[in-house]
Amino acid sequence: MKALVTGANKGIGFEIARSLGKRGYDILVGARDEARGQATVEKLAAEDISATFINIDLNNFDSLHAAANMVNSLDILVNNAGIPDSVKPGRAALDLAKLTFDYTTEDLRTTMETNFLGTHELIKSLLSSLTDNAKIVNITVPISPTDFWHPLAYITSKAALNVMTLTYAYEFEKMGSHRQIFGIMPGAVATDLNGMEAGAHGGFVKSPEAAGQMSTDIILSDKNQNGQIIQYDGKIVTDYEIQLRG
Ligand SMILES: NC(=O)c1ccc[n+]([C@@H]2O[C@H](COP(=O)([O-])OP(=O)(O)OC[C@H]3O[C@@H](n4cnc5c(N)ncnc54)[C@H](OP(=O)(O)O)[C@@H]3O)[C@@H](O)[C@H]2O)c1
């Protein structure tokens, strides 16, 4: 059994890769930087996990097409790689205080290109490499604005990703395919993306390890989850309409 995790070199992606690897999957470590990807392969191998680096840069479609040409019989694709805004390498970019008015077109374009267009291109490129019962998993976030949660670039790109999840699910169902596509919302997780610490906000912020295990439990569920958006506690989100939640 084989799983490809994008952005597997750190954060939630690394822990999903590790958790799937511990449950017997051969892991394709998707990373945009070869050195970081190979270092991850070595870390996983030290835990007796079978892992191979594969170059996945969501901003470079050639890398996605080349990766698709190298992959076959893929059972699980986890679309984890993502950014919260026009990110500068090496620093967290999720700025929850940033006003909607302060987002630039460049912020929106960069985030949309990575989280939505790159992910779409990867899924499309890998369709012929998936097994008949393959699962495609999109890691996502809540999209309705609240007092503390209204990062325009991030939630706009994830809203587009969620629509894609549903439209692919519709097509799979309509054609009688046994493939599934679903979203997982891990909740707040302490990673470089937000610079938070595990246990912060009264324990609300999870460790990447907890998020990885929780996501893996959902991914490996026997249930048909096609078209679902599933929260970290296993709850299926049924009120996923965009609305002001002030
Ligand atoms: N942290 C949270 O609270 C939280 C909550 C809900 C959902 N999520 C989602 O979880 C996913 C992982 O986030 P994280 O928190 O683990 O963040 P992270 O630690 O910053 O990891 C992000 C990963 O995505 C990769 N990446 C970024 N841009 C890429 C590109 N253009 N091509 C390929 N890979 C790229 C990064 O690679 P480099 O190391 O090369 O930069 C890194 O491996 C994201 O989709 C995020 O939206 C996070």
Side-chain angles (χ1 to χ4, degrees):
M1 302 285 274
K2 202 187 299 175
L4 165 56
V5 182
T6 68
N9 58 290
K10 66 176 181 174
I12 298 170
F14 172 73
E15 293 295 346
I16 292 176
R18 184 165 168 244
S19 188
L20 282 170
K22 285 191 169 175
R23 299 203 209 177
Y25 280 80
D26 294 328
I27 304 299
L28 295 174
V29 173
R32 60 177 159 175
D33 179 90
E34 180 163 3
R36 290 198 284 271
Q38 294 291 8
T40 303
V41 167
E42 283 169 31
K43 264 168 88 175
L44 294 174
E47 296 194 49
D48 290 329
I49 292 167
S50 155
T52 310
F53 164 71
I54 185 159
N55 181 238
I56 301 276
D57 181 343
L58 294 175
N59 300 130
N60 176 352
F61 283 12
D62 288 346
S63 84
L64 307 183
H65 301 156
N69 284 334
M70 291 186 323
V71 175
N72 56 44
S73 305
L74 189 64
D75 299 290
I76 296 175
L77 166 64
V78 183
N79 292 305
N80 163 81
I83 56 170
D85 201 340
S86 305
V87 73
K88 299 211 169 32
R91 59 173 278 261
L94 183 64
D95 179 359
L96 293 178
K98 186 167 172 174
L99 297 180
T100 298
F101 312 116
D102 292 336
Y103 279 87
T104 63
T105 300
E106 187 50 30
D107 292 334
L108 296 172
R109 181 183 295 121
T110 309
T111 313
M112 191 63 85
E113 279 177 357
T114 304
N115 296 354
F116 176 58
L117 297 176
T119 302
H120 172 262
E121 188 68 20
L122 181 62
I123 294 175
K124 208 164 113 62
S125 306
L126 280 170
L127 277 179
S128 60
S129 309
L130 298 175
T131 58
D132 289 346
N133 295 306
K135 297 179 182 184
I136 303 170
V137 183
N138 293 329
I139 306 297
T140 190
V141 300
I143 53 169
S144 291
T146 69
D147 279 347
F148 63 88
W149 181 252
H150 44 263
L152 179 67
Y154 194 32
I155 60 179
T156 306
S157 68
K158 293 289 188 175
L161 181 72
N162 294 336
V163 172
M164 182 174 67
T165 301
L166 298 186
T167 56
Y168 266 92
Y170 168 79
E171 298 292 2
F172 286 159
E173 192 172 304
K174 195 174 76 169
M175 63 174 54
S177 165
H178 294 293
R179 291 176 176 171
Q180 298 177 45
I181 183 167
F182 51 91
I184 294 180
M185 296 199 307
V189 185
T191 67
D192 289 347
L193 180 141
N194 52 31
M196 290 181 186
E197 287 190 13
H201 298 287
F204 180 65
V205 182
K206 286 179 278 305
S207 69
E209 187 174 2
Q213 285 175 11
M214 168 280 298
S215 301
T216 301
D217 287 343
I218 294 171
I219 293 167
L220 298 184
S221 163
D222 290 336
K223 293 181 212 144
N224 181 353
Q225 302 178 116
N226 191 43
Q228 294 178 351
I229 307 282
I230 305 161
Q231 219 172 253
Y232 52 88
D233 55 5
K235 186 175 157 242
I236 299 162
V237 181
T238 52
D239 58 347
Y240 210 67
E241 293 291 327
I242 303 171
Q243 52 190 287
L244 263 180
R245 295 213 167 111

